[in-house]
Amino acid sequence: MVLDNLGGSLRNALRKIASANKIDKALVDEAVREIQRALLQADVNVKLVMELSNKIKERALNEKPPAGMNPREHVINIVYQELINLVGKGADIPLQKQNIMLVGLQGSGKTTTAAKLATYFQRKGLRAAVVCADTFRAGAYDQVKALCERQGIFFYGEKGNPDAPEVARHGLEATKRYDVRIVDTAGRHALESDLIQEMKDIHAVVQADQKLLVMDAALGQQASEQARAFNEAVQITGVIITKLDGTAKGGGALSAVAETRTSVAFIGVGETPADLERFEADRFISRLLGMGDIKTLIERAQEVQAEEEVDVESLMRGKFTLKDMYKQMEAMNKLGPLKQIMQMLPLGGMGVELSDKEFAATKDRLDKYRVIMDSMTEVELEDPKIITVSRIKRISRGSGTSPEMVRELLKSHSAMQKAIKGMRGGAGKMNMKRLMKRFGPGTKA
Ligand SMILES: Nc1nc2c(ncn2[C@@H]2O[C@H](COP(=O)(O)OP(=O)(O)O)[C@@H](O)[C@H]2O)c(=O)[nH]1
Ligand SMILES: [Mg+2]
């Protein structure tokens, strides 16, 4: 979708954090600078950008990562959370009987949105109708008529009557039987006092439960002024940002929402009545960052990491058996479906990303190891040192692999075992991924 540029630049900043060896002030400053640049280019208001940057810096440098989250994931999570705070929680539009009034400048997408909203509520099982209270623009009535008739939506309008509040009153009477009544109003090319007065007059008649400001995503800094004016006139209860399917930047409208302390209710993502989406901050930001559902990813990463970390001291006291190694490799491979996070988080902090090929190779290797290990006795699995040349032959024959494969498995094991033994007692925990990467076959040690 839109905001492609913004998303791209933000992703770059996150990737920088993800591939950092160490999270320190210099790195956070650099990443925040990049985020700032991205947001400013997308027309997000300077003041908001500064507030966001300060919060990210402050939290990234002072907050301790929660258990199970490494410092990189922690900082990425902070950026994600603060971006969600910036766009705010979505406005709550309940599925119930209500009157909705749409306000906004001409061309912002009110009439199109009226038909979209009616369609939305009808799909949810509510009876919806549109009242055309735009008596300003010549073609307004015909546009509503065409849009609604195509969708089988009941609409009311009076061609030729210039009294907008009166048309609104008649319209409400004519649509009494409907659950959700959507009143479409006129706009002007600019904010003018007669427009504001008209909004107030219509509002006095309609007494709408929801007063939604429709704003074009292409609006830059002037979005805030508009939002303030409409908010003062009718106390808007939410914002609909339209044309987010285009090349618009969206940041102006988002800033207006933040500044007027309202929230986004829906986003328009196309010209047809189906192109309306409920706005959910976390989904919106996840999508912007191209991470699918980042929350799930971070949760999964935490789980996997917990499994990966082995207690080195107990390993040094006890034995590191072939089974232990297999378990570790299996844990590592669980990350497989989480390709997205793998792309972001370099393995074991070594700045090495696993390619598709390497993934497939690890999976292959795991499958082979499983077969080989199935052909070993319990004693051999517990203490691979006893595996002699003749045993290797037997195991390779039994598993339908080659003696080389068996030797490769044993070599990996002994390399990892040595590394573990070589660790000082104080190490506590270590990251197995790093070891796997270094000592796994097929990679240069
Ligand atoms: N691409 C796109 N076009 C939209 C969207 N919403 C409205 N439009 C177009 O914007 C133009 C103005 O819309 P309209 O509903 O007449 O605006 P109004 O003057 O506020 O009633 C029309 O050509 C619509 O088709 C949207 O979400 N995406
Ligand atoms: Mg209109």
Side-chain angles (χ1 to χ4, degrees):
M1 80 162 215
V2 216
L3 302 172
D4 280 343
N5 290 336
L6 174 59
S9 322
L10 288 174
R11 281 196 289 279
N12 277 342
L14 291 195
R15 207 164 288 132
K16 210 162 267 179
I17 299 170
S19 58
N21 287 323
K22 201 172 127 227
I23 299 286
D24 56 13
K25 186 164 182 316
L27 174 87
V28 171
D29 283 348
E30 193 191 332
V32 164
R33 255 198 313 278
E34 206 147 311
I35 293 167
Q36 282 174 346
R37 211 176 307 131
L39 292 174
L40 290 172
Q41 267 166 10
D43 276 341
V44 177
N45 172 288
V46 181
K47 202 179 99 219
L48 290 172
V49 173
M50 293 320 292
E51 278 170 20
L52 175 102
S53 321
N54 291 339
K55 256 186 242 156
I56 293 177
K57 278 189 204 169
E58 148 92 30
R59 291 186 57 192
L61 296 173
N62 296 325
E63 271 180 29
K64 286 226 150 42
M69 207 184 262
N70 71 37
R72 291 185 305 265
E73 288 163 345
H74 179 52
V75 175
I76 289 169
N77 200 28
I78 288 173
V79 172
Y80 169 68
Q81 285 172 356
E82 291 302 330
L83 284 170
I84 289 176
N85 283 343
L86 175 78
V87 300
K89 279 213 173 349
D92 185 32
I93 309 288
L95 292 172
Q96 62 188 36
K97 248 178 113 75
Q98 59 192 312
N99 292 347
I100 295 176
M101 179 174 162
L102 299 181
V103 301
L105 290 194
Q106 197 163 73
S108 57
K110 291 179 299 302
T111 305
T112 313
T113 303
K116 286 179 178 177
L117 274 176
T119 307
Y120 166 82
F121 284 111
Q122 277 191 337
R123 282 191 183 156
K124 304 278 182 190
L126 289 160
R127 290 156 50 79
V130 173
V131 173
C132 173
D134 178 356
T135 56
F136 183 78
R137 224 189 69 191
Y141 176 88
D142 293 325
Q143 190 194 0
V144 173
K145 185 171 186 283
L147 273 171
C148 288
E149 277 180 352
R150 209 176 307 144
Q151 291 303 113
I153 293 161
F154 184 82
F155 76 98
Y156 181 89
E158 293 176 28
K159 215 171 173 173
N161 184 351
D163 187 341
E166 188 181 273
V167 176
R169 184 153 41 81
H170 294 164
L172 289 181
E173 277 159 24
T175 54
K176 267 203 189 100
R177 309 182 292 118
Y178 288 84
D179 300 316
V180 180
R181 290 155 336 152
I182 300 152
V183 181
D184 181 22
T185 66
R188 304 285 191 273
H189 286 301
L191 278 174
E192 290 161 11
S193 55
D194 62 335
L195 169 65
I196 296 299
Q197 190 54 46
E198 186 173 295
M199 290 306 107
K200 286 182 176 166
D201 294 344
I202 298 176
H203 178 45
V205 172
V206 177
Q207 292 298 316
D209 304 288
Q210 298 286 347
K211 290 147 288 184
L212 304 178
L213 171 62
V214 179
M215 266 203 277
D216 190 322
L219 278 181
Q221 301 301 325
Q222 70 273 41
S224 298
E225 189 202 340
Q226 276 183 33
R228 267 197 299 275
F230 281 109
N231 197 26
E232 273 166 30
V234 298
Q235 283 96 50
I236 54 181
T237 54
V239 173
I240 298 177
I241 303 179
T242 61
K243 308 181 196 180
L244 269 172
D245 50 310
T247 52
K249 297 171 171 178
L254 286 174
S255 306
V257 171
E259 272 182 83
T260 48
R261 300 196 186 288
T262 48
S263 36
V264 186
F266 293 91
I267 53 178
V269 292
E271 294 190 64
T272 81
D275 296 326
L276 186 76
E277 295 179 8
R278 284 287 287 133
F279 177 83
E280 284 155 36
D282 48 358
R283 266 191 55 208
F284 181 79
I285 295 296
S286 300
R287 206 158 60 166
L288 193 62
L289 299 178
M291 287 189 221
D293 189 348
I294 191 181
K295 267 201 295 206
T296 323
L297 285 176
I298 286 181
E299 277 159 21
R300 279 302 308 272
Q302 280 170 254
E303 280 168 25
V304 173
Q305 202 176 2
E307 287 170 25
E308 272 165 16
E309 274 175 354
V310 281
D311 192 328
V312 174
E313 279 173 49
S314 86
L315 271 182
M316 289 197 301
R317 257 183 274 115
K319 289 182 287 190
F320 180 68
T321 69
L322 275 170
K323 281 180 181 168
D324 292 330
M325 177 172 93
Y326 188 85
K327 229 167 52 201
Q328 293 310 322
M329 292 191 76
E330 219 176 15
M332 175 197 178
N333 214 46
K334 269 202 191 140
L335 278 165
L338 294 176
K339 273 229 65 186
Q340 295 185 74
I341 220 162
M342 295 299 275
Q343 278 161 4
M344 285 185 46
L345 307 176
L347 281 179
M350 297 185 74
V352 189
E353 290 181 14
L354 223 60
S355 67
D356 279 340
K357 249 180 157 162
E358 285 175 303
F359 253 118
T362 314
K363 177 84 183 56
D364 266 9
R365 206 188 301 153
L366 266 180
D367 291 343
K368 286 217 182 82
Y369 283 4
R370 160 116 286 164
V371 178
I372 293 172
M373 286 166 66
D374 280 344
S375 293
M376 292 183 183
T377 64
E378 274 305 305
V379 189
E380 287 165 347
L381 287 171
E382 287 292 321
D383 189 10
K385 270 202 305 290
I386 63 166
I387 301 178
T388 55
V389 177
S390 67
R391 283 184 192 239
I392 288 177
K393 266 197 198 136
R394 189 210 79 232
I395 294 165
S396 69
R397 231 181 297 118
S399 58
T401 59
S402 61
E404 286 71 43
M405 262 319 280
V406 180
R407 255 183 244 119
E408 188 187 286
L409 166 68
L410 295 175
K411 237 168 49 201
S412 299
H413 173 260
S414 86
M416 286 178 65
Q417 194 174 38
K418 248 186 235 136
I420 287 168
K421 283 210 175 110
M423 303 225 6
R424 284 264 166 271
K429 287 186 170 183
M430 63 180 293
N431 192 329
M432 288 309 291
K433 267 195 304 202
R434 186 179 309 219
L435 271 182
M436 306 297 310
K437 189 76 187 167
R438 261 168 69 195
F439 297 105
T443 46
K444 286 171 221 97

